[in-house]
Short mmCIF file of all heavy atoms in Angstrom, two decimals:
data_model
loop_
_atom_site.label_atom_id
_atom_site.label_comp_id
_atom_site.label_asym_id
_atom_site.label_seq_id
_atom_site.Cartn_x
_atom_site.Cartn_y
_atom_site.Cartn_z
N MET S 1 -1.10 0.27 -14.24
CA MET S 1 -2.21 0.74 -15.06
C MET S 1 -3.33 1.26 -14.17
O MET S 1 -3.75 0.59 -13.24
CB MET S 1 -2.71 -0.40 -15.94
CG MET S 1 -3.82 -0.02 -16.85
SD MET S 1 -4.24 -1.44 -17.90
CE MET S 1 -5.54 -0.73 -18.84
N LEU S 3 -7.13 2.36 -13.39
CA LEU S 3 -8.49 2.02 -13.84
C LEU S 3 -9.52 2.81 -13.03
O LEU S 3 -9.35 3.02 -11.82
CB LEU S 3 -8.78 0.54 -13.64
CG LEU S 3 -7.99 -0.47 -14.48
CD1 LEU S 3 -8.38 -1.88 -14.09
CD2 LEU S 3 -8.20 -0.24 -15.96
N GLN S 4 -10.59 3.22 -13.70
CA GLN S 4 -11.73 3.81 -13.00
C GLN S 4 -12.38 2.70 -12.17
O GLN S 4 -12.26 1.52 -12.49
CB GLN S 4 -12.75 4.37 -14.01
CG GLN S 4 -12.22 5.49 -14.87
CD GLN S 4 -11.97 6.77 -14.10
OE1 GLN S 4 -12.50 6.99 -13.01
NE2 GLN S 4 -11.14 7.64 -14.67
N ALA S 10 -15.14 -4.50 -11.69
CA ALA S 10 -15.64 -5.54 -12.60
C ALA S 10 -14.53 -6.54 -12.94
O ALA S 10 -14.74 -7.75 -12.90
CB ALA S 10 -16.20 -4.91 -13.87
N ALA S 18 -7.43 -12.85 -9.21
CA ALA S 18 -7.41 -11.52 -8.59
C ALA S 18 -7.02 -11.57 -7.12
O ALA S 18 -7.47 -12.44 -6.37
CB ALA S 18 -8.77 -10.85 -8.73
N ASP S 22 -4.72 -3.69 -0.36
CA ASP S 22 -4.88 -2.39 0.30
C ASP S 22 -3.51 -1.99 0.85
O ASP S 22 -2.95 -2.71 1.68
CB ASP S 22 -5.90 -2.55 1.43
CG ASP S 22 -6.21 -1.27 2.18
OD1 ASP S 22 -5.30 -0.43 2.34
OD2 ASP S 22 -7.34 -1.14 2.65
N VAL S 23 -2.96 -0.87 0.39
CA VAL S 23 -1.62 -0.47 0.83
C VAL S 23 -1.66 0.66 1.86
O VAL S 23 -0.66 1.32 2.12
CB VAL S 23 -0.71 -0.08 -0.37
CG1 VAL S 23 -0.49 -1.30 -1.27
CG2 VAL S 23 -1.26 1.09 -1.17
N PHE S 29 -6.89 0.70 7.41
CA PHE S 29 -7.47 -0.60 7.05
C PHE S 29 -8.61 -0.95 8.00
O PHE S 29 -9.64 -1.47 7.57
CB PHE S 29 -6.36 -1.65 7.09
CG PHE S 29 -6.75 -3.00 6.52
CD1 PHE S 29 -6.83 -3.20 5.16
CD2 PHE S 29 -6.97 -4.08 7.36
CE1 PHE S 29 -7.15 -4.45 4.63
CE2 PHE S 29 -7.29 -5.33 6.85
CZ PHE S 29 -7.38 -5.51 5.47
N GLY S 32 -12.39 0.21 7.44
CA GLY S 32 -13.24 -0.37 6.40
C GLY S 32 -12.44 -0.64 5.15
O GLY S 32 -11.54 0.12 4.81
N ILE S 38 -6.40 -7.70 1.16
CA ILE S 38 -5.32 -7.96 2.11
C ILE S 38 -4.58 -6.65 2.30
O ILE S 38 -4.60 -5.78 1.42
CB ILE S 38 -4.36 -9.08 1.62
CG1 ILE S 38 -3.70 -8.71 0.29
CG2 ILE S 38 -5.10 -10.41 1.51
CD1 ILE S 38 -2.56 -9.64 -0.10
N ILE S 42 2.29 0.37 2.66
CA ILE S 42 3.39 0.87 1.84
C ILE S 42 4.38 1.70 2.65
O ILE S 42 5.55 1.83 2.29
CB ILE S 42 2.87 1.66 0.61
CG1 ILE S 42 3.99 1.88 -0.42
CG2 ILE S 42 2.23 2.97 1.06
CD1 ILE S 42 3.52 2.42 -1.76
N LYS S 44 5.75 0.91 5.29
CA LYS S 44 6.70 0.05 6.00
C LYS S 44 8.07 0.00 5.32
O LYS S 44 8.96 -0.69 5.80
CB LYS S 44 6.14 -1.38 6.11
CG LYS S 44 4.92 -1.49 6.99
CD LYS S 44 5.31 -1.60 8.45
CE LYS S 44 4.14 -1.98 9.29
NZ LYS S 44 3.75 -0.97 10.25
N GLN S 46 11.16 -1.00 3.58
CA GLN S 46 11.74 -2.28 3.17
C GLN S 46 10.83 -3.44 3.58
O GLN S 46 10.76 -4.45 2.88
CB GLN S 46 13.14 -2.46 3.77
CG GLN S 46 13.92 -3.61 3.17
CD GLN S 46 14.16 -3.47 1.67
OE1 GLN S 46 14.46 -2.39 1.17
NE2 GLN S 46 14.02 -4.55 0.93
N PHE S 48 7.68 -3.44 3.38
CA PHE S 48 6.70 -3.51 2.29
C PHE S 48 7.26 -4.37 1.15
O PHE S 48 6.59 -5.26 0.64
CB PHE S 48 6.37 -2.09 1.80
CG PHE S 48 5.41 -2.04 0.64
CD1 PHE S 48 4.08 -2.42 0.80
CD2 PHE S 48 5.82 -1.58 -0.60
CE1 PHE S 48 3.18 -2.35 -0.26
CE2 PHE S 48 4.93 -1.51 -1.67
CZ PHE S 48 3.62 -1.89 -1.49
N GLU S 53 7.49 -9.54 -1.84
CA GLU S 53 8.28 -10.65 -2.36
C GLU S 53 7.67 -12.01 -2.01
O GLU S 53 7.95 -13.01 -2.66
CB GLU S 53 9.73 -10.57 -1.87
CG GLU S 53 10.52 -9.43 -2.48
CD GLU S 53 10.92 -9.67 -3.94
OE1 GLU S 53 10.48 -10.64 -4.56
OE2 GLU S 53 11.70 -8.85 -4.45
N GLU S 54 6.83 -12.04 -0.97
CA GLU S 54 6.18 -13.29 -0.56
C GLU S 54 4.92 -13.59 -1.37
O GLU S 54 4.37 -14.69 -1.28
CB GLU S 54 5.84 -13.23 0.93
CG GLU S 54 7.08 -13.17 1.82
CD GLU S 54 6.75 -13.01 3.29
OE1 GLU S 54 5.56 -13.04 3.65
OE2 GLU S 54 7.69 -12.86 4.07
N LYS S 57 3.60 -13.82 -7.90
CA LYS S 57 3.71 -12.86 -9.00
C LYS S 57 2.87 -13.23 -10.21
O LYS S 57 2.68 -12.42 -11.11
CB LYS S 57 5.17 -12.67 -9.39
CG LYS S 57 5.96 -11.98 -8.32
CD LYS S 57 7.40 -11.74 -8.69
CE LYS S 57 8.08 -11.04 -7.53
NZ LYS S 57 9.52 -11.04 -7.63
N SER S 58 2.34 -14.44 -10.24
CA SER S 58 1.49 -14.84 -11.37
C SER S 58 0.05 -14.37 -11.19
O SER S 58 -0.75 -14.43 -12.11
CB SER S 58 1.52 -16.36 -11.54
OG SER S 58 0.82 -17.00 -10.49
N TYR S 64 -5.26 -0.56 -4.05
CA TYR S 64 -5.88 0.71 -3.69
C TYR S 64 -5.31 1.25 -2.39
O TYR S 64 -4.70 0.53 -1.61
CB TYR S 64 -7.41 0.59 -3.60
CG TYR S 64 -7.92 -0.13 -2.38
CD1 TYR S 64 -8.30 0.58 -1.24
CD2 TYR S 64 -8.05 -1.52 -2.35
CE1 TYR S 64 -8.78 -0.08 -0.11
CE2 TYR S 64 -8.53 -2.18 -1.25
CZ TYR S 64 -8.90 -1.45 -0.12
OH TYR S 64 -9.37 -2.11 0.99
N ALA S 72 -0.71 3.89 -6.65
CA ALA S 72 -0.01 4.06 -7.93
C ALA S 72 1.48 3.77 -7.72
O ALA S 72 2.11 3.08 -8.53
CB ALA S 72 -0.22 5.46 -8.49
N LEU S 90 -8.14 4.34 -9.39
CA LEU S 90 -8.13 5.80 -9.43
C LEU S 90 -9.08 6.37 -8.37
O LEU S 90 -10.20 5.89 -8.23
CB LEU S 90 -8.54 6.31 -10.82
CG LEU S 90 -7.51 6.12 -11.92
CD1 LEU S 90 -8.12 6.45 -13.27
CD2 LEU S 90 -6.29 6.99 -11.66
N ASN S 104 -11.30 -7.95 9.01
CA ASN S 104 -11.38 -9.08 9.95
C ASN S 104 -10.20 -9.04 10.90
O ASN S 104 -9.10 -8.89 10.56
CB ASN S 104 -11.36 -10.41 9.19
CG ASN S 104 -12.65 -10.58 8.40
OD1 ASN S 104 -13.68 -10.01 8.74
ND2 ASN S 104 -12.59 -11.35 7.34
#
Side-chain angles (χ1 to χ4, degrees):
M1 181 177 180
L3 294 177
Q4 297 291 341
D22 182 326
V23 297
F29 190 76
I38 60 169
I42 194 169
K44 293 277 191 244
Q46 192 61 41
F48 178 68
E53 290 286 9
E54 295 176 5
K57 292 182 180 166
S58 71
Y64 74 94
L90 287 171
N104 292 335

